[in-house]
Amino acid sequence: MSDEGSALESVTLPVGGMTCASCVAHVEGALKENPGVSDATVSLMTRSATVKFARAVTTPEALVEAVRKSGYTADLPRRDLLAAQRADDAAHAREARSLVVRALLLLGGMVLTMFASMPLMTAHAGHAQADPLMAAFARALDPPTRAALPWLYRLDTQLLGVALLVASVALVAVGARTVFLRAWSAARHKGTDMNTLVALGALAGLGMSAFSVLFPHVLVDNGAAPDVYFEGVLGILGFVLLGQGLEARARKQTTSALAALASLEATRARIETEEGERDLPIDDLRREDLLVIRPGERVPADSTVEEGSSSVDEAMLTGESAPVKKERGARLVGGTVNGSGVLKARVSALGDDSVVAKMVRLMRDAQARRAPIQHLADRVSAMFVPSVMVLSALTLAAWLVFGVGGAPGAVQAVHAAVAVLVVACPCAMGLAVPTAVMVATGVAARRGVVLRGGDALQRGAGIDTIVFDKTGTLTVGHPVLVDVVEAVDSAVEDSAVEDIGATDAALALAAAVEKSSEHPLARALVDAAASRALKLPRAKEVRALPGAGVEGMVEKRPVQVLSIRAATQIAPLPERLREAAARHESTGATCVVLIDKGAPSALFALADALRDSAAPTVAALRAAGVESVMLTGDRRAVAEHIAKRAGIATVHAETLPADKVEVVRALKAQGKKVAMVGDGVNDAAALAAADLGVALASGTDVAREASDVTLMRPDLAAIPSVLGLSRAALSTMKRNLLWAAGYNVLAIPVAMGVLVPLVGVPMSPVIASLAMAFSSVSVVLSSLWLARFR
């Protein structure tokens, strides 16, 4: 363990050679024993180890060496995260193919040896007449030859047995060598894992068969049949590898969201230089290069638009199917797809600093983080293999002592002991929770939600109260036009604007003089005009009036957009405008007045508007039994106005950041499970204090770091889906654990022979291996069902 005063760093190492939960426990133990390590979390699904350590005490190189000394492979993290993810995906695909091919080789060998070993079943009778075909052949021979035939037959069958033994050992060496190598590696490091159980079972079968082939008379003289089990050994190993192959293929599907993200990176880019446009590999791209992105092309890198206008498909990032309009100053994310326009954009981030790389890192970290429910499975898995070995030894002893139905006990004893070793499945326990976490985080990612791992999923399943920040969360976070009120008998001359309604004509005039301004209120007026597709007249001699507004000339007539106070200094406001201003300002809106040719013409009310998704989200949460609370530092009148429109009954207004934390803690003290939704620096403490923190990606980095869930698009409708997904994921975890535990609790006693007095037949080791493979695959398939979540 590191000293408390030491600064801790975190590193994620790729780890190879792990096959079950026992392997995970061994690697974690090896890392935690290393001086300077504060914590280590190993993931069987991502084949990685995340380690917190003090660099003053140890180094990543030392951690890699610690893993290698424990009998597994490890490497330093690769620099290019996206390339590393693609390499991992390719390696997993190769692993799955290799396992299936080797399994089919062994199972094919099982079928051949099953037929080839049939003559051996008659050899123990001691004469050729045990085989009807050989008996008929013998009757046709003269007496001396007939007398020598049993010895010749026995010699032939023994040679056949030796040939089958050599062939079986060769098949095992080619197809299942990794099982024995990993078992030996675990033994050298004083450990055990699933490979230990399978290797012991296979070696027992091979040993019995070899003894039967080489010393058949010893068994016959002691009343036992010299049976061989070559097909059983090959079947055990074949079905185990087939199960691992199918599991690897299914596990690859659980990481499909990661693979999809990593595949988004473009391979080439087009840049503009002094000599003209140039096409180059993506690895040669540099920050500040000017990209040229043509219609339909994938954006090569994170960048900022400097020229052009287009719509960009960002579905891969946000889950939003509608293209997003991009103009000068807009941010582009590498991997998104350009629409119909040509864009020129300046590169702002590359490699591991890109948005996609950060999402991949977040998802990899999330999928490695354990749900609390997994800790019980980890404790059971740590003692599982040694316990099974003890049970197998007890089974062997019991069968040797008691036998069954008077039959010789040695053969049946080994059968039962091998079946116990093979049927036990620590993999199912180890995969029960991580597979569900991986699928759930992948489903969330495809819908524009980044979950921080299994712990966030488990906590999300119990949420019954959600606290919403107001500004930037329930509301859009910037002013928008909410109302246009015309002065009594006002009219805008058609010489300045096209023939449209008076309200739109007033907005067009105001937007014309505000067009060049970057003030938030000015942008709100211009955006409102653009959303109505209004054609703006040309404004000249535009100048800002500090503290008052802006003025200019439109078609040789003076036009001003002023604050209420500045407007009243020019001319009294008509009663209709005064009443509208009082009404809107009471709800927190800001009002500006259009002065046309020296007279108040219209009033514009601008406010931080409620998000379109806010009210439906609150209603959906209420239907699901989740209470909504609003928390804001804004004035109570404004807060209650927004809360009423959103459908929220409980409001905490005029709160400081410290007060927000206290509100969250007070709700938790009442026994409630609280989620906090926010987007700003002043929300970070409350996000951290809540049982579940939810941040909008449009918010600050501080808010996102403090959160457990990040919404990649500002759509609150994703929140009920996240809670529903969390509940479905937790149910899947519990179902998987119940199945994994129930399978072992039932299968191991059956393999030991508790049903033999009833059915008269013990479990075959081959059937045991098939059952073990099925148990692991079924857990993964159960988790994949989560992908259908709606």
Side-chain angles (χ1 to χ4, degrees):
M1 300 296 287
S2 62
D3 296 330
E4 292 184 8
S6 303
L8 295 179
E9 297 182 21
S10 179
V11 64
T12 299
L13 308 173
V15 178
M18 297 187 298
T19 56
C20 66
S22 297
C23 303
V24 171
H26 293 156
V27 176
E28 281 189 355
L31 287 168
K32 288 179 179 178
E33 290 174 1
N34 205 55
V37 173
S38 170
D39 189 30
T41 302
V42 178
S43 171
L44 178 62
M45 295 300 298
T46 60
R47 300 292 201 271
S48 65
T50 301
V51 189
K52 291 183 179 179
F53 67 100
R55 187 171 286 276
V57 183
T58 189
T59 63
E61 290 79 6
L63 299 176
V64 168
E65 188 60 27
V67 174
R68 291 174 178 171
K69 285 182 178 178
S70 69
Y72 301 88
T73 62
D75 294 292
L76 291 172
R78 285 161 284 193
R79 291 183 179 276
D80 189 338
L81 188 60
L82 294 180
Q85 181 61 45
R86 288 193 293 271
D88 288 347
D89 294 335
H92 291 160
R94 287 195 301 271
E95 176 192 18
R97 285 195 299 270
S98 173
L99 286 167
V100 171
V101 168
R102 288 187 284 133
L104 294 177
L105 174 68
L106 290 166
L107 293 176
M110 176 192 73
V111 175
L112 292 176
T113 54
M114 184 183 300
F115 287 103
S117 61
M118 285 182 178
L120 299 179
M121 299 300 103
T122 61
H124 67 84
H127 50 80
Q129 284 77 359
D131 186 337
L133 291 176
M134 292 299 296
F137 175 69
R139 282 191 295 270
L141 300 176
D142 57 89
T145 304
R146 189 185 309 131
L149 188 60
W151 295 99
L152 294 173
Y153 185 75
R154 184 176 300 169
L155 178 63
D156 287 343
T157 53
Q158 190 163 10
L159 289 175
L160 174 62
V162 172
L164 287 175
L165 174 62
V166 172
S168 297
V169 170
L171 282 172
V172 169
V174 172
R177 64 185 181 279
T178 54
V179 173
F180 294 93
L181 289 174
R182 288 169 178 170
W184 172 244
S185 177
R188 282 194 305 112
H189 295 89
K190 300 179 181 179
T192 55
D193 59 16
M194 182 200 73
N195 296 292
T196 305
L197 300 179
V198 176
L200 285 175
L203 288 174
L206 275 177
M208 279 190 62
S209 300
F211 193 86
S212 296
V213 167
L214 300 175
F215 308 103
H217 294 297
V218 175
L219 295 173
V220 172
D221 293 345
N222 286 276
D227 295 332
V228 293
Y229 305 98
F230 299 125
E231 76 282 358
V233 171
L234 296 176
I236 288 170
L237 295 170
F239 282 124
V240 167
L241 291 181
L242 182 61
Q244 291 180 358
L246 296 176
E247 174 196 318
R249 288 174 66 90
R251 191 171 63 237
K252 186 175 181 294
Q253 293 182 43
T254 68
T255 61
S256 59
L258 269 174
L261 278 175
S263 67
L264 290 172
E265 187 179 44
T267 57
R268 301 192 68 82
R270 185 182 299 104
I271 65 172
E272 185 176 277
T273 66
E274 294 180 356
E275 292 79 23
E277 293 184 3
R278 183 161 65 95
D279 191 69
L280 73 168
I282 196 70
D283 291 340
D284 294 342
L285 198 61
R286 296 291 179 265
R287 197 184 296 264
E288 298 301 323
D289 280 347
L290 185 62
L291 298 169
V292 179
I293 309 162
R294 293 174 181 168
E297 292 183 341
R298 195 173 292 280
V299 176
D302 292 2
S303 48
T304 303
V305 176
E306 292 197 353
E307 185 180 324
S309 175
S310 184
S311 293
V312 175
D313 181 359
E314 294 185 339
M316 50 69 64
L317 179 68
T318 66
E320 176 59 61
S321 57
V324 181
K325 189 172 182 179
K326 299 291 183 179
E327 295 178 325
R328 179 181 172 83
R331 177 187 178 196
L332 298 178
V333 176
T336 55
V337 179
N338 187 24
S340 57
V342 176
L343 294 173
K344 293 185 180 181
R346 189 74 61 182
V347 175
S348 57
L350 291 167
D352 287 354
D353 294 328
S354 69
V355 170
V356 172
K358 289 177 180 177
M359 284 191 68
V360 168
R361 185 181 298 109
L362 279 172
M363 287 188 63
R364 287 173 69 107
D365 291 347
Q367 293 175 347
R369 290 178 67 171
R370 295 178 182 171
I373 195 174
Q374 189 177 344
H375 295 321
L376 174 62
D378 291 341
R379 288 196 294 270
V380 172
S381 298
M383 63 182 75
F384 186 87
V385 174
S387 300
V388 170
M389 293 174 67
V390 170
L391 289 174
S392 178
L394 291 174
T395 301
L396 179 67
W399 277 79
L400 286 173
V401 172
F402 300 107
V404 177
V411 174
Q412 295 291 3
V414 174
H415 263 227
V418 170
V420 171
L421 290 173
V422 174
V423 81
C425 188
C427 291
M429 293 289 288
L431 294 170
V433 175
T435 51
V437 171
M438 293 197 78
V439 175
T441 53
V443 169
R446 283 191 289 270
R447 301 181 185 186
V449 178
V450 177
L451 290 165
R452 284 289 182 92
D455 50 348
L457 278 169
Q458 186 167 341
R459 284 183 274 115
I463 294 300
D464 55 26
T465 303
I466 291 191
V467 179
F468 290 96
D469 175 53
K470 180 184 76 70
T471 305
T473 303
L474 286 172
T475 64
V476 296
H478 57 81
V480 297
L481 182 65
V482 296
D483 195 12
V484 181
V485 181
E486 304 166 64
V488 177
D489 297 328
S490 68
V492 180
E493 296 181 7
D494 291 341
S495 61
V497 295
E498 57 186 4
D499 187 13
I500 55 178
T503 298
D504 284 350
L507 178 57
L509 280 179
V513 295
E514 295 279 22
K515 186 177 181 180
S516 60
S517 173
E518 293 299 324
H519 192 282
L521 297 181
R523 299 311 308 163
L525 290 171
V526 174
D527 290 345
S531 68
R532 301 185 189 191
L534 300 181
K535 184 177 180 180
L536 304 186
R538 186 177 180 183
K540 299 180 180 180
E541 302 176 26
V542 177
R543 67 188 186 96
L545 303 173
V550 67
E551 67 178 6
M553 297 295 293
V554 180
E555 296 293 338
K556 300 181 180 180
R557 51 196 273 206
V559 174
Q560 298 169 301
V561 180
L562 305 173
S563 65
I564 295 288
R565 186 176 63 178
T568 55
Q569 293 175 357
I570 294 176
L573 295 185
E575 183 178 357
R576 187 177 182 183
L577 298 190
R578 289 200 308 272
E579 291 176 351
R583 182 175 68 253
H584 284 296
E585 287 180 339
S586 68
T587 63
T590 299
C591 297
V592 295
V593 178
L594 173 67
I595 305 293
D596 183 16
K597 295 188 293 187
S601 174
L603 179 138
F604 304 101
L606 304 112
D608 188 4
L610 190 70
R611 292 189 187 275
D612 293 338
S613 59
T617 296
V618 171
L621 290 170
R622 187 185 305 114
V626 179
E627 178 189 2
S628 295
V629 176
M630 192 174 83
L631 196 58
T632 179
D634 213 335
R635 292 182 293 116
R636 176 160 294 278
V638 176
E640 290 182 346
H641 173 74
I642 293 294
K644 183 177 180 180
R645 293 180 59 199
I648 297 176
T650 306
V651 179
H652 296 270
E654 301 176 15
T655 57
L656 298 173
D659 298 330
K660 294 183 178 183
V661 175
E662 290 306 315
V663 170
V664 170
R665 288 175 177 167
L667 290 170
K668 291 174 67 175
Q670 297 172 21
K672 296 181 178 181
K673 299 298 182 183
V674 182
M676 173 73 193
V677 187
D679 77 327
V681 173
N682 61 356
D683 300 323
L687 287 167
D691 294 299
L692 188 75
V694 182
L696 276 64
S698 57
T700 65
D701 291 338
V702 175
R704 291 197 298 273
E705 287 297 322
S707 69
D708 303 294
V709 180
T710 302
L711 307 183
M712 297 307 294
R713 69 175 187 268
D715 184 4
L716 299 178
I719 294 175
S721 296
V722 169
L723 299 187
L725 177 63
S726 297
R727 291 167 182 165
L730 183 59
S731 296
T732 301
M733 294 177 204
K734 291 179 177 178
R735 182 174 65 248
N736 288 352
L737 284 172
L738 181 63
W739 161 251
Y743 162 81
N744 283 293
V745 167
L746 293 175
I748 291 176
V750 171
M752 294 175 72
V754 296
L755 295 182
V756 170
L758 297 177
V759 299
V761 180
M763 178 183 284
S764 162
V766 175
I767 298 300
S769 67
L770 186 60
M772 189 269 277
F774 171 74
S775 69
S776 293
V777 174
S778 63
V779 165
V780 179
L781 293 178
S782 169
S783 296
L784 285 173
W785 191 257
L786 263 178
R788 301 169 61 90
F789 174 80
R790 296 290 181 271

